[in-house]
Amino acid sequence: MNVTIRPCTLRGRVQAPPSKSYAHRMLICAALAEGESRIHGISGSEDMYATMECVEALGGATAREGGTVTVTPGRGGELDGAVFPCRESGSTLRFFIPLALARGGSAVFTGTGRLMARGVDVYEELFARKGLRLTRDAGSIAVSGRLCSGEYTLRGDVSSQFVSGLLFALPLLEGDSTIHVLPPVESRRYIDITVDAMAAFGVAVEERERNTFFVPGGQRYRPRELQVEGDWSNAAALYGLNALGAELEITGLNGGSIQGDRACVEILQRLEQPGSVTDLSGCPDLGPVLFAVAAAKHGGVFTGTRRLRIKESDRARAMADELKKFGVDVHVEENSVTVADMELRPPREALSGHNDHRIVMAMTLLATLCGGEIGGAEAIRKSYPDFFEVLKGLGLEAEYGD
């Protein structure tokens, strides 16, 4: 899908979409509970469908009506070659691998080539030491064996999703476990969200030392009826529009949320001044939108960007390619990105979404200033499927094509 956007100013009241991070975790906790749960605030995004399909692969059932999903857990038992279709969702893949191993037997995880390439190296190393098998090819990852309780030590500088996957699974085992996360621990807030979601379903995790988590075994997830809070990650694009001249009243967000991407408000204010330096190690998903706003403002230096390479696209390189079309130079190094302070101009060629929802959002922001055609805009369905419809209701001037 191509979207052609003309320069325009957006105005009005808009509700932030539900948090993808919380929604993932609540659906998983509901699938592990001993009874039916209802979760309100589940979007129809590709990532949510991936998680619901994997709940069903685990033996449970899901039923979606509007924004509410009813989850009925399965009866358990050893898996026998169950297939978990993760689509393009890295969090779904990394959350469900330990859950499949906690059941024992064998399972296969499928997904796009990019998802398989993003890798599960941390699990490969970790589980090999525990005698579990994890093998992969271009289109799938196969696991077999049974997860056991005990001591787990893993890196914290790759993805917090590996920690969360273990946190979900270990309480189900008979013995107690301890997870040691080696510093530096990036995206730490996402671990906090996992612990918070588990607590809502009656499962306790104790952080006895910083980044050392004690997980009592033999726990049971309890069924719940819960509402997903608003998503600061996707709301960052709405705040980014305001930074570029829109007049949006954004509602539905928890101002005291533990979501790390709540930092977008303070960072966007910082970009109003020349010479800003921002560390993104704790909020890498904000990168594309912040790079776009920096390009329209005074430029900026962003550190802690190493992990942008292993997202749906290589986000630093992708944004460098796209911002060049607007006349702005971007210098990408191993763990930093510098956006030059240059005059923004209308693009003379089509923009690319790089099959990445965050890149599509970032390009949309700049297109409201300069115009432009965004190719591959369907990638937005991954996390915010009604993004363009919402913006059209606020005054976005856009036309759609194949």
Side-chain angles (χ1 to χ4, degrees):
M1 178 180 75
N2 295 338
V3 178
T4 302
I5 298 173
R6 292 181 293 277
C8 52
T9 300
L10 278 58
R11 297 182 176 86
R13 182 184 175 93
V14 56
Q15 181 164 336
S19 167
K20 184 166 71 81
S21 297
Y22 266 108
H24 271 307
R25 289 158 172 82
M26 288 180 176
L27 287 173
I28 289 171
C29 292
L32 303 175
E34 297 182 337
E36 184 178 277
S37 295
R38 288 167 59 84
I39 311 299
H40 305 282
I42 303 293
S43 72
S45 69
E46 290 292 317
D47 279 4
M48 289 301 103
Y49 286 125
T51 296
M52 286 187 282
E53 288 167 3
C54 286
V55 166
E56 293 166 6
L58 201 61
T62 63
R64 184 171 182 266
E65 184 176 351
T68 297
V69 172
T70 301
V71 181
T72 305
R75 293 187 177 182
E78 191 170 275
L79 298 176
D80 183 16
V83 177
F84 291 77
C86 299
R87 302 194 183 196
E88 284 189 303
S89 177
S91 55
T92 301
L93 172 68
R94 291 163 181 163
F95 291 166
F96 274 90
I97 286 177
L99 290 173
L101 290 169
R103 291 274 295 274
S106 63
V108 176
F109 292 81
T110 63
T112 64
R114 175 67 184 174
L115 175 59
M116 297 295 108
R118 288 167 64 184
V120 288
D121 293 354
V122 172
Y123 281 157
E124 285 181 302
E125 298 170 8
L126 186 68
F127 294 150
R129 297 195 295 268
K130 299 288 186 178
L132 304 172
R133 289 181 58 82
L134 190 157
T135 58
R136 55 177 170 167
D137 57 30
S140 66
I141 295 172
V143 301
S144 61
R146 185 179 293 276
L147 191 70
C148 58
S149 57
E151 300 278 330
Y152 287 85
T153 301
L154 65 164
R155 295 168 56 187
D157 63 344
V158 179
S159 173
S160 64
Q161 293 166 1
F162 296 108
V163 182
S164 291
L166 284 174
L167 286 171
F168 285 128
L170 292 176
L172 301 171
L173 308 181
E174 287 304 317
D176 299 340
S177 299
T178 302
I179 303 173
H180 306 276
V181 188
L182 302 177
V185 181
E186 299 188 4
S187 297
R188 168 55 207 253
R189 287 289 190 174
Y190 288 104
I191 299 175
D192 296 337
I193 291 172
T194 299
V195 172
D196 189 49
M198 292 169 64
F201 283 81
V203 173
V205 174
E206 182 181 345
E207 188 173 9
R208 292 187 166 178
E209 299 177 11
R210 183 65 174 169
N211 299 319
T212 297
F213 301 91
F214 175 72
V215 186
Q219 299 190 67
R220 297 292 180 265
Y221 289 83
R222 300 169 188 163
R224 290 286 188 262
E225 181 166 1
L226 298 171
Q227 174 71 44
V228 179
E229 68 175 57
D231 190 349
W232 279 97
S233 300
N234 282 335
L238 304 175
Y239 281 102
L241 285 164
N242 277 350
L244 300 183
E247 299 174 10
L248 304 180
E249 180 187 353
I250 304 162
T251 65
L253 292 165
N254 175 8
S257 175
I258 61 174
Q259 294 179 56
D261 287 352
R262 184 164 61 94
C264 67
V265 175
E266 186 272 329
I267 297 172
L268 287 167
Q269 292 173 346
R270 191 185 309 154
L271 293 178
E272 296 290 339
Q273 303 299 321
S276 65
V277 179
T278 302
D279 178 13
L280 295 182
S281 61
C283 49
D285 285 345
L286 296 181
V289 162
L290 296 178
F291 298 164
V293 173
K297 296 289 185 175
H298 307 284
V301 175
F302 300 87
T303 62
T305 60
R306 181 186 298 110
R307 288 173 49 239
L308 271 65
R309 295 196 304 269
I310 59 171
K311 297 293 185 176
E312 285 79 353
S313 68
D314 181 339
R315 287 178 175 168
R317 296 289 179 189
M319 286 299 295
D321 291 344
E322 299 312 306
L323 290 178
K324 190 174 184 63
K325 298 174 183 177
F326 288 92
V328 177
D329 292 335
V330 177
H331 184 58
V332 179
E333 295 186 354
E334 198 274 334
N335 199 33
S336 68
V337 172
T338 301
V339 179
D341 185 359
M342 303 174 70
E343 184 177 354
L344 206 65
R345 61 169 173 77
R348 297 177 181 176
E349 57 183 300
L351 307 168
S352 172
H354 292 264
N355 196 36
D356 190 327
H357 54 135
R358 304 291 178 199
I359 304 296
V360 173
M361 291 183 199
M363 292 302 98
T364 300
L365 265 62
L366 294 181
T368 64
L369 295 180
C370 301
E373 178 185 353
I374 307 170
E378 68 276 3
I380 200 67
R381 296 170 187 157
K382 178 176 172 62
S383 68
Y384 200 164
D386 57 350
F387 178 70
F388 288 110
E389 288 73 18
V390 169
L391 296 191
K392 285 194 77 171
L394 300 166
L396 182 73
E397 297 183 18
E399 296 177 357
Y400 304 93
D402 297 330

